[in-house]
Amino acid sequence: KNQVEQSPQSLIILEGKNCTLQCNYTVSPFSNLRWYKQDTGRGPVSLTIMTFSENTKSNGRYTATLDADTKQSSLHITASQLSDSASYICVVSVNYGGSQGNLIFGKGTKLSVKP
Amino acid sequence: DAMVIQNPRYQVTQFGKPVTLSCSQTLNHNVMYWYQQKSSQAPKLLFHYYDKDFNNEADTPDNFQSRRPNTSFCFLDIRSPGLGDAAMYLCATSRDRGARSTPLHFGNGTRLTVT
């Protein structure tokens, strides 16, 4: 069964600290992995997309890694800011061939950054 | 700068009273999606349009319908809302379908309350 598991479920850190969020997946055939940031009461916003051949991708203070062999991804946030408080959702795309596809969403990690 | 616009942001309807949620996009994307997201859960795909081609998810209740009169607009109709349909409804667009490395662009959602 195609699944995406994220950990931890929630996390509290102090402003300025770094943190790492985890995503494990059992999705086949794999197409790509995406990280989204969802502020409370808002729609998700894309942070990164990585394909099978990409190990790391950065977007400002956000760095995502992908290990396609172990089917694990992480999102590292450097020098956290209060505005980083949000849910972070890992989404894995299943490749059914052609233009068909399916997105498997994780439940997200809720990050709270405290002053 | 909003590219996917959902109206209204908050909608209150009575049990059993039909309600329509709207979504418009300025990206000229081929694909438009409707997701249902309940508290602390991952978004759940209800259906999507690839151009005019409607694709319903197998487990989407018949109570949920959709219309896409043109490229820019897409509507979600809930014919007889039940208390269990209270949720955030997210509209998203993408240039291609999910398997390609094109990000989903989400609107800010409509939060539906059923009384």
Side-chain angles (χ1 to χ4, degrees):
Chain A
K1 182 181 178 183
N2 289 324
Q3 283 187 317
V4 175
E5 301 286 342
Q6 292 188 243
S7 62
Q9 191 173 6
S10 62
L11 181 63
I12 301 174
I13 63 173
L14 292 176
E15 186 179 12
K17 298 296 186 182
N18 303 335
C19 67
T20 300
L21 314 180
Q22 299 290 342
C23 174
N24 297 337
Y25 60 93
T26 55
V27 172
S28 182
F30 174 88
S31 178
N32 57 65
L33 185 145
R34 308 153 187 239
W35 283 95
Y36 285 86
K37 177 187 179 188
Q38 185 174 21
D39 293 316
T40 301
R42 300 281 184 176
V45 174
S46 179
L47 295 175
T48 62
I49 298 177
M50 288 183 292
T51 59
F52 184 89
S53 59
E54 294 174 297
N55 300 119
T56 185
K57 186 167 276 190
S58 292
N59 179 357
R61 293 179 297 101
Y62 301 102
T63 299
T65 65
L66 174 64
D67 186 333
D69 292 330
T70 61
K71 298 187 177 182
Q72 295 180 327
S73 176
S74 66
L75 180 69
H76 185 75
I77 304 174
T78 304
S80 60
Q81 299 176 0
L82 299 178
S83 59
D84 293 330
S85 296
S87 286
Y88 292 82
I89 304 172
C90 176
V91 184
V92 180
S93 178
V94 187
N95 185 7
Y96 289 134
S99 62
Q100 294 293 326
N102 194 15
L103 299 178
I104 313 296
F105 283 73
K107 291 186 177 181
T109 292
K110 186 168 184 177
L111 174 67
S112 296
V113 181
K114 303 295 186 184
Chain B
D1 190 40
M3 294 178 288
V4 181
I5 302 166
Q6 292 188 245
N7 284 305
R9 287 295 312 279
Y10 302 92
Q11 176 73 58
V12 180
T13 191
Q14 293 178 331
F15 182 93
K17 185 174 181 181
V19 66
T20 295
L21 310 182
S22 74
C23 176
S24 63
Q25 55 136 337
T26 60
L27 296 162
N28 204 34
H29 280 172
N30 290 320
V31 195
M32 295 188 77
Y33 308 79
W34 279 104
Y35 286 86
Q36 179 193 65
Q37 186 178 28
K38 297 188 176 180
S39 182
S40 300
Q41 294 186 20
K44 179 180 180 297
L45 181 64
L46 297 174
F47 25 59
H48 76 274
Y49 273 95
Y50 182 78
D51 195 14
K52 296 180 182 179
D53 182 28
F54 177 70
N55 297 269
N56 199 29
E57 293 300 299
D59 56 355
T60 298
D62 293 339
N63 198 25
F64 292 86
Q65 304 287 320
S66 186
R67 296 170 282 136
R68 188 178 186 186
N70 54 53
T71 300
S72 301
F73 285 88
C74 195
F75 300 98
L76 170 62
D77 301 308
I78 308 176
R79 293 192 298 190
S80 182
L83 297 179
D85 296 329
M88 173 78 87
Y89 289 88
L90 295 166
C91 174
T93 74
S94 67
R95 184 165 44 83
D96 295 305
R97 286 198 237 226
R100 303 284 177 86
S101 297
T102 56
L104 289 181
H105 295 266
F106 285 87
N108 280 326
T110 293
R111 180 161 297 282
L112 178 68
T113 301
V114 182
T115 61

